[in-house]
Amino acid sequence: MLKVLKFGGSSMADAIQYKKVRAIVEADPTRRVVVVSAAGKRFKEDHKITDLLYLCHAHVQYGVSFESVFGMIADRYKGIKEDLGLKIDIESHLEQIRKKLISGMSEEELASRGEYLSALLMADYLGFDFVDAAHWLKFRYDGTIDQEESYAALRREAEGRKVVIPGFYGVMPDGQIQTLTRGGSDITGALAAAALDADVYENWTDVSGILMADPRIVEDPQPIDRVTYSELRELSHAGAQVLHEGTIYPVREKKIPLNIRNTNEPDHPGTMIMESFDDSMDMEHRFITGIAGKKDHSIITLTKIGLSSAVGELRRILEVFEDHNIPVEYVPSGLDTVSLVVDSAKVSSCLYSMLGELQKKIKPNNIKVHDQIAIVAAVGRKMAFRAGVSGRIFARLGENGISIRMISQGPDEMNIIVGIDNKDYANAIRVLYNSFVK
Ligand code: ASP
């Protein structure tokens, strides 16, 4: 049995958090591989170390003294060492970074040093071995990760050992450090779990799992206890900000369950994400898993007599969007109408040229554009087993004076998506939450 754990920035922010991490790791001997982020914020106005590292690089680039920013970074790590009474010579690592910064260090390498220093300290504190991400997480020149090579390298480095690995970066074929996109330590953790065929990937953060709705809109929403990978995809696509994009793929491919946990509330089971659950008949339990949404969409509706019976017309319409590099999010359709739902920000610069082309190629009877549309999705694997869910959703929205501009339901009945006016967005989420969850 092997568990791979990833601790995010807030879990690595100071010595108090390190103590919680150690208690979590030591509570279970199968927790043998630990991936860490750079130190995050200790309080609201505090700075994330990664942000300070980017700032430091900007100073160097503009020829402004970087010493005071670098001092803030150094103080944080020296403080953690001191508070925990560690022996590791973190000062010499900091000095090496400072020297290289003067002689010339890439932005990517400098940004990666937050994770590097965190991992050195945590390895020392846990008594685990430090495995540098530059020794196994291998990028190709095109910026993609060479999964096969990386997995084999990590197995060589870590199999059978207790290790701490820095997240967020890897190495290019020429030996240069390359970072992932921001928040990318989630991906490092997922890759490590997949490489080592872990039994579970525990992602430790500062919330007790994924919430059923956005806490900025719904007061104190409940966490989701179990969610399938497909449901999570739906929720993220509809706007829920959950895990870093790209995290799911490596663990899903290997059918490794992903458990989101809270370092500050370690006894809470958090959210378990798996390929499937054997609970379709469990009707006592909620049948909506989560509610998500996003504002500022446009619905482009084409009407053309005979559209439904014409061969290839839909392809020609979609081609116009493809030519302009515009992703189409949903395509609800009627008999002689088809609507394309797109992100307004992505379409704004080319809307008129696209409409012109649609007019020329398709010769529709009518084209209409509705702006300021919000998309709200109710997602739940159990909706398929329950009649009348969509009816209830529409009824509740109607009772609350919210008009529905668009409806889309996947054939697998895992989601019901409605398009409403931006102004009704927060209210619609609250209405759905209060009707189906509370
Ligand atoms: N430290 C990096 C960031 O702030 C990566 C991470 O924490 O996942 O983006």
Side-chain angles (χ1 to χ4, degrees):
M1 178 90 167
L2 168 70
K3 291 182 180 166
V4 170
L5 287 69
K6 178 255 166 178
F7 289 93
S10 58
S11 309
M12 299 295 295
D14 57 19
I16 301 169
Q17 296 302 85
Y18 272 57
K19 288 181 186 165
K20 294 182 191 167
V21 169
R22 186 158 86 173
I24 290 165
V25 173
E26 289 182 347
D28 181 344
T30 65
R31 290 178 171 149
R32 285 187 281 112
V33 174
V34 175
V35 175
V36 295
S37 279
K41 292 184 182 193
R42 294 159 292 186
F43 42 89
K44 202 164 166 268
E45 301 74 27
D46 199 15
H47 301 291
K48 289 182 177 184
I49 291 296
T50 310
D51 292 337
L52 293 178
L53 287 162
Y54 282 115
L55 187 62
C56 200
H57 192 263
H59 278 66
V60 177
Q61 226 178 358
Y62 287 101
V64 180
S65 167
F66 61 81
E67 296 294 350
S68 77
V69 184
F70 192 78
M72 289 163 80
I73 298 163
D75 286 349
R76 181 84 79 90
Y77 287 108
K78 285 195 266 186
I80 294 173
K81 168 186 162 167
E82 222 164 87
D83 292 346
L84 297 174
L86 300 176
K87 295 275 175 301
I88 181 174
D89 187 4
I90 205 73
E91 292 79 3
S92 76
H93 287 281
L94 284 160
E95 189 47 29
Q96 267 175 29
I97 297 169
R98 207 183 73 85
K99 277 199 186 130
K100 197 164 177 192
L101 200 50
I102 297 167
S103 65
M105 189 185 215
S106 74
E107 185 178 35
E108 307 252 339
E109 183 171 354
L110 181 57
S112 75
R113 297 302 87 183
E115 272 62 18
Y116 177 80
L117 294 162
S118 279
L120 284 171
L121 285 175
M122 187 54 85
D124 194 44
Y125 185 50
L126 293 177
F128 281 22
D129 295 327
F130 168 80
V131 169
D132 195 342
H135 290 165
W136 70 274
L137 208 165
K138 302 191 189 258
F139 284 90
R140 299 189 190 91
Y141 276 121
D142 65 5
T144 57
I145 293 166
D146 186 336
Q147 229 165 274
E148 217 173 296
E149 275 265 320
S150 303
Y151 286 5
L154 186 62
R155 280 197 287 270
R156 281 194 302 274
E157 292 270 342
E159 207 127 74
R161 295 166 76 197
K162 291 181 165 186
V163 296
V164 177
I165 302 170
F168 187 44
Y169 71 94
V171 68
M172 280 293 199
D174 63 357
Q176 291 289 323
I177 295 287
Q178 171 75 33
T179 51
L180 293 152
T181 46
R182 293 298 307 266
S185 302
D186 278 347
I187 300 185
T188 310
L191 290 167
L196 301 171
D197 287 311
D199 296 277
V200 57
Y201 169 33
E202 293 181 345
N203 192 298
W204 290 83
T205 162
D206 54 6
V207 283
S208 294
I210 303 169
L211 300 173
M212 293 189 73
D214 187 337
R216 290 166 300 185
I217 299 175
V218 170
E219 206 189 314
D220 213 6
Q222 298 185 23
I224 299 174
D225 52 356
R226 299 195 282 185
V227 57
T228 65
Y229 284 118
S230 314
E231 287 176 304
L232 194 62
R233 272 252 340 114
E234 295 282 353
L235 284 167
S236 315
H237 182 70
Q241 271 157 20
V242 187
L243 287 160
H244 188 287
E245 214 187 327
T247 306
I248 305 291
Y249 181 67
V251 277
R252 185 174 188 181
E253 199 179 35
K254 293 253 183 150
K255 298 201 171 15
I256 298 170
L258 198 169
N259 188 194
I260 301 189
R261 303 284 291 266
N262 187 351
T263 303
N264 306 317
E265 206 187 338
D267 294 330
H268 193 290
T271 300
M272 188 56 103
I273 308 162
M274 284 172 57
E275 193 56 41
S276 61
F277 294 98
D278 186 19
D279 60 0
S280 57
M281 291 313 174
D282 171 17
M283 284 309 165
E284 290 310 305
H285 209 69
R286 291 180 208 120
F287 53 94
I288 283 190
T289 304
I291 299 159
K294 47 192 177 178
K295 284 181 163 179
D296 298 326
H297 280 65
S298 302
I299 306 181
I300 301 169
T301 303
L302 284 93
T303 307
K304 183 177 176 180
I305 309 298
L307 182 74
S308 300
S309 39
V311 175
E313 203 74 308
L314 193 55
R315 178 181 52 75
R316 280 186 285 277
I317 294 172
L318 288 170
E319 247 169 25
V320 174
F321 286 78
E322 186 182 349
D323 292 346
H324 288 82
N325 209 15
I326 303 295
V328 176
E329 299 199 16
Y330 303 101
V331 192
S333 62
L335 184 57
D336 284 331
T337 67
V338 58
S339 294
L340 301 109
V341 183
V342 293
D343 181 337
S344 304
K346 288 187 184 148
V347 85
S348 64
S349 63
C350 60
L351 181 65
Y352 289 119
S353 77
M354 247 174 48
L355 294 180
E357 242 170 82
L358 285 168
Q359 189 71 57
K360 207 163 89 192
K361 283 197 176 153
I362 312 296
K363 300 194 176 50
N365 300 86
N366 193 350
I367 303 186
K368 268 203 193 117
V369 181
H370 276 103
D371 280 327
Q372 313 251 357
I373 297 290
I375 302 294
V376 173
V379 176
R381 60 188 178 278
K382 294 189 211 162
M383 290 196 300
F385 306 96
R386 183 104 161 204
V389 180
S390 18
R392 270 176 71 193
I393 290 183
F394 304 145
R396 294 287 175 279
L397 293 175
E399 283 156 21
N400 284 276
I402 300 168
S403 330
I404 299 174
R405 309 269 170 218
M406 180 280 284
I407 298 166
S408 164
Q409 180 176 23
D412 50 6
E413 295 182 54
M414 205 174 58
N415 59 19
I416 296 169
I417 293 143
V418 292
I420 53 173
D421 291 336
N422 267 349
K423 68 171 173 44
D424 293 327
Y425 175 66
N427 197 20
I429 301 238
R430 277 192 288 265
V431 165
L432 293 182
Y433 186 85
N434 294 339
S435 324
F436 293 94
V437 183
K438 256 193 172 167

